[in-house]
Amino acid sequence: MSADSSSGGTVAYIQHHLTNLCVGECDPVTNVATGFWALHLDTIFFSVLLGSLMVFASWRLGRNLQADTPSGFQNVVETVVDFVSQQVKDTFPGHNPLIAPLALTIFVWVWLMNFMDLIPVDLLPVIAGWFGIGYLKVVPTTDLSTTMAMSLTVFALILFYNIKIKGLSGYLKMFLFHPFGKFFVPVNIVMTAIEELAKPLSLGLRLFGNLFAGELVFLLIALIGGTMAVGFAAAFWLPLQVLLDLGWLIFHLLVITLQAFIFMVLTIVYLAMAHTGEEH
Amino acid sequence: MNITATLLAQIVAFVLLIWFVNKFLWGPMSAMLEDRQKRIADGLAAGEKGKKELELAEKRATDSLKDAKSQAAEILALAEKRGTEIVEEAKDKAREEGDRIVAAANAEIEQEINRAKEEIRGKVAEISVAAAAKIIGREVDAKAHDKLIKDLATQI
């Protein structure tokens, strides 16, 4: 934690925390990516770590499922699986074996990545610092690359199923005659294109924005103790920091779950729209 | 904050993760849940069926019990009837036998009486002839007076 009470120290502290560990096309001084061909190692590391955790847990659980006497962890997973499959059943017409596992993956993975936000903001970066790693942004979903990666994958599925179900001509017809009928073809093209492009953008940006803002608030709360607690003032500011941190933590627990849920539900809804015909 | 090649890595990771989750978790678990649902439904159906069968069996049991009871009563009645019949038959037979014995005895008695009468008659005829001979003083030719003697004997 930066004990420097000057405003420059504060800005540096926040900026430092919001910078990814970059390799490739990166600025050598600020460590910020300057072009597309750069990799954020911390983002990849933590998301793959959490993904591996999911795979490992799934594999351990999946190979000895108890149908009659489910215990502990299996009950928890069953609850989540039931919840997701209920959401899919409620929203998705017909049957597609990909939708439910996709929704489950999104919900759990996004939740786990969001959960990294609740780990004290300085803990992991400081530990990484001991090993000589200068930058570490631990929440993969505060990296636009992660959220857009998921939303673009979903977008690809939307396109795929639109063309598979409606046919290429059917899908293009939707651009021409939706939503205002055949007399407003130019308007329709613009409207539908915006509508379609807004899907991946809103999906990715919503998650990124919420988590980025949440992280920023955690950083600001962390700064209270770091910058203002000098001398006797610490007796006042430190308890305040703890209180605020706890409050935001509890609220954020709701936010991360809600964001994971929204991402999942919107994915199901978009894919459901891709599966239904033009008349609706 | 800009989008980098991390995007591509994350897309690959995401797709792989979906595949793994589907293979290791969703597949086995949904199969298991379906199986469990089916088994619960089957169990409930079997329970319902068992209950119905029990009811049926109980009904059958009471029915056959009733049947058995009525049959037993019938048999009992039949046996009683047969018993009285046998007793009646035996009585009849005994009476007949008795009657027959009595009749035979009577006949025998009658015969004896008749024989005795014959004998007496004969004797009386002899005596009469003897008496007559004595009275007349000479021998009565039995052959000559055979008709007379016989008449006399029948008169006695």
Side-chain angles (χ1 to χ4, degrees), chain A residues 227-265:
Chain A
T227 58
M228 301 182 186
V230 182
F232 287 115
F236 172 69
W237 291 113
L238 280 179
L240 182 70
Q241 179 191 349
V242 170
L243 205 68
L244 282 174
D245 206 37
L246 183 67
W248 185 242
L249 200 90
I250 292 167
F251 177 66
H252 214 57
L253 201 58
L254 185 73
V255 171
I256 63 167
T257 311
L258 192 67
Q259 288 305 320
F261 176 71
I262 288 173
F263 202 112
M264 176 190 82
V265 167

Side-chain angles (χ1 to χ4, degrees), chain A residues 20-26 33 35-44 143, chain B residues 4-10:
Chain A
N20 284 103
L21 180 63
C22 181
V23 295
E25 283 185 279
C26 307
F36 179 74
W37 295 108
L39 283 179
H40 290 160
L41 288 184
D42 45 3
T43 300
I44 294 172
D143 188 339
Chain B
T4 64
T6 314
L7 180 85
L8 304 178
Q10 295 293 76

Side-chain angles (χ1 to χ4, degrees), chain A residues 58-110:
Chain A
S58 306
W59 171 72
R60 277 208 51 189
L61 184 67
R63 73 185 171 149
N64 78 61
L65 285 170
Q66 306 288 325
D68 296 322
T69 51
S71 57
F73 185 55
Q74 191 186 329
N75 276 326
V76 176
V77 177
E78 268 183 33
T79 310
V80 176
V81 167
D82 267 345
F83 169 70
V84 172
S85 103
Q86 193 56 46
Q87 291 295 328
V88 173
K89 260 182 224 154
D90 288 346
T91 318
F92 193 77
H95 180 73
N96 184 336
L98 178 67
I99 306 299
L102 171 71
L104 180 66
T105 309
I106 288 174
F107 184 64
V108 179
W109 199 33
V110 169

Side-chain angles (χ1 to χ4, degrees), chain B residues 27-121:
Chain B
M29 183 160 271
S30 54
M32 185 272 287
L33 289 176
E34 223 164 86
D35 179 56
R36 181 193 289 166
Q37 245 169 14
K38 196 174 153 288
R39 261 199 297 167
I40 288 174
D42 283 358
L44 286 178
E48 197 67 26
K49 209 176 134 205
K51 222 168 102 183
K52 234 173 240 168
E53 250 163 37
L54 181 69
E55 260 169 37
L56 221 70
E58 260 169 17
K59 200 164 156 261
R60 258 208 306 267
T62 38
D63 276 5
S64 56
L65 200 66
K66 221 193 284 171
D67 266 13
K69 263 185 191 164
S70 68
Q71 225 162 18
E74 220 169 274
I75 289 171
L76 214 63
L78 215 69
E80 226 163 82
K81 204 176 138 211
R82 182 87 190 107
T84 43
E85 257 173 30
I86 288 172
V87 168
E88 283 303 316
E89 244 168 59
K91 269 187 192 164
D92 282 357
K93 220 181 249 175
R95 200 177 296 124
E96 253 169 47
E97 186 77 13
D99 285 356
R100 203 173 53 77
I101 290 171
V102 169
N106 279 348
E108 209 170 318
I109 289 167
E110 194 82 12
Q111 229 174 343
E112 281 300 315
I113 289 171
N114 283 347
R115 211 175 47 227
K117 272 183 183 168
E118 276 314 303
E119 213 167 301
I120 289 168
R121 244 181 237 133

